[in-house]
Amino acid sequence: MQLKPENNMKKITIIAMILVSMGISAQEKAVTMKGDTIIVYENGTWEKINKVKKVVDIEGTVEATVEIDEFSKSKKIRTETWTKFGKNKLGRTINGSLARVDDLTVFTISYSGDLGCLSEYSSTMKVKLTNGEIIEFSQISDSDCGDYPSARFIPLKKEQLKDPNYIDLLEDNLDILKQFDWETIRLQGTEYYTDIIPNVSRKMEKPEQFFRQHLISADKK
């Protein structure tokens, strides 16, 4: 049985009152009956963070190759490159692919424009997903100041790379990337940044599934 809006509001208010009575600090997250995430403030007011969107399962159709090092037995997986799967308002595009070595997964991204440099020390890639979450990536490859810079990005913040449990943090972010399509990618260079949106074309009907498709295909290997 679904609650009427006014009943749902009453339940939110009750949750807020309970949190306040328990001495919860300034604000706490709560989930409504509809699955929306809200912030409940100490004074009983609340604010919606994001609305949950239904997760649709997809099939990974990206080609992936596997190599096993004959000495270390390390397993390397690479996916095919998606060309021009995203573009900015000036028509500049990005290409991308996945590379995985054992339990470490990174994405190689190249951009057809000027960002200054893609720097090992300062460049990031932020990916906004359809569920409202933003996953931040750090560059872990050498700096590239060429006309068409390319870099490898790992879905972890700089400070998380130093965390002893960084593999667990990485897996958490990869799980989220596998569930939701991307809406916007912000690529930060040393001088400029650019915002990228999915570039739909005859060859690329679902560019918003880039991360999902490549991760699912890699997991099958």
Side-chain angles (χ1 to χ4, degrees):
M1 180 180 69
Q2 291 188 341
L3 292 174
K4 294 181 179 179
E6 57 267 25
N7 290 334
N8 201 33
M9 289 285 292
K10 289 179 181 178
K11 292 189 75 68
I12 293 172
T13 303
I14 292 172
I15 292 172
M17 292 175 64
I18 292 173
L19 291 173
V20 172
S21 66
M22 292 174 63
I24 301 297
S25 60
Q27 60 186 50
E28 282 291 326
K29 288 184 179 180
V31 179
T32 69
M33 296 292 289
K34 292 184 178 180
D36 294 337
T37 302
I38 62 172
I39 292 179
V40 181
Y41 296 98
E42 192 172 19
N43 62 4
T45 61
W46 60 276
E47 177 183 3
K48 185 185 294 185
I49 299 177
N50 63 279
K51 187 173 183 178
V52 174
K53 295 188 178 181
K54 184 178 180 181
V55 177
V56 178
D57 292 332
I58 63 172
E59 288 291 331
T61 58
V62 176
E63 292 185 9
T65 58
V66 180
E67 295 180 14
I68 305 295
D69 187 281
E70 61 179 312
F71 293 99
S72 66
K73 302 303 179 184
S74 180
K75 184 178 181 180
K76 300 179 181 179
I77 300 174
R78 295 181 184 276
T79 60
E80 63 176 312
T81 299
W82 276 20
T83 59
K84 300 181 179 180
F85 73 92
K87 66 178 180 180
N88 65 11
K89 61 183 180 181
L90 298 177
R92 300 293 187 179
T93 59
I94 58 172
N95 304 331
S97 62
L98 173 149
R100 175 176 292 169
V101 180
D102 297 329
D103 55 4
L104 195 65
T105 300
V106 300
F107 293 87
T108 300
I109 301 293
S110 59
Y111 174 65
S112 65
D114 182 17
L115 296 174
C117 299
L118 286 178
S119 170
E120 177 183 5
Y121 303 102
S122 61
S123 290
T124 60
M125 180 172 71
K126 295 180 180 179
V127 178
K128 183 179 180 181
L129 304 174
T130 53
N131 70 334
E133 290 197 59
I134 296 175
I135 305 295
E136 182 171 330
F137 293 62
S138 299
Q139 180 173 330
I140 60 171
S141 58
D142 293 338
S143 299
D144 187 343
C145 300
D147 293 334
Y148 299 95
S150 177
R152 290 189 296 275
F153 292 91
I154 187 169
L156 289 171
K157 296 179 180 179
K158 290 289 186 183
E159 58 269 23
Q160 291 177 322
L161 292 171
K162 301 176 183 178
D163 192 304
N165 300 313
Y166 76 94
I167 291 296
D168 292 333
L169 298 174
L170 174 62
E171 289 300 323
D172 288 343
N173 283 339
L174 292 176
D175 284 342
I176 296 172
L177 288 167
K178 276 189 289 189
Q179 293 183 60
F180 300 97
D181 296 340
W182 68 276
E183 289 184 342
T184 310
I185 294 174
R186 173 164 291 184
L187 197 57
Q188 178 71 58
T190 54
E191 295 185 30
Y192 316 106
Y193 73 82
T194 186
D195 287 341
I196 305 291
I197 60 173
N199 183 27
V200 179
S201 65
R202 290 183 179 180
K203 293 183 178 180
M204 191 70 59
E205 294 183 355
K206 294 187 179 295
E208 68 277 5
Q209 293 182 356
F210 170 76
F211 296 100
R212 301 179 71 191
Q213 287 272 1
H214 287 252
L215 285 167
I216 291 171
S217 293
D219 286 348
K220 291 180 179 179
K221 296 296 182 178

